[in-house]
């Protein structure tokens, strides 16, 4: 069986996880700045969503890395 050299699930998973963690840390460190959001920290929400999606992609890759 041939092993794939470039699996898109791993690349997308790593990119989304890294970007999501950066946005998540920004959301934790900085307070919400827009008054129109009523105190809702949008960086915290989207950072966690992006991180979760990236971890799902990585989980799918590591569950079955030799997909045919």
């Amino acid at each position: 069986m041939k092993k794939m050299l470039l699996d898109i699930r791993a690349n997308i998973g790593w990119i989304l996880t890294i970007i999501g963690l950066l946005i998540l840390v920004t959301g934790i460190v900085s307070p919400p700045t827009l008054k129109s959001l009523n105190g809702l920290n949008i960086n915290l929400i989207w950072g966690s969503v992006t991180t979760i999606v990236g971890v799902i992609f990585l989980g799918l890759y590591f569950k079955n890395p030799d997909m045919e």
Side-chain angles (χ1 to χ4, degrees):
M1 194 181 297
K2 237 178 152 178
K3 190 167 184 162
M4 292 181 72
L5 295 176
L6 183 65
D7 192 357
I8 196 72
R9 293 175 297 171
N11 295 332
I12 290 175
W14 284 116
I15 289 171
L16 286 177
T17 303
I18 291 170
I19 291 173
L21 287 174
L22 289 173
I23 296 172
L24 187 65
V25 167
T26 303
I28 291 171
V29 172
S30 65
T33 55
L34 294 176
K35 299 288 183 192
S36 63
L37 293 175
N38 296 326
L40 189 67
N41 196 343
I42 201 73
N43 286 335
L44 191 63
I45 294 170
W46 281 108
S48 60
V49 168
T50 308
T51 304
I52 290 169
V53 171
V55 168
I56 289 172
F57 270 95
L58 287 174
L60 290 174
Y61 172 68
F62 287 120
K63 180 180 177 186
N64 190 8
D66 294 330
M67 201 166 122
E68 294 180 28

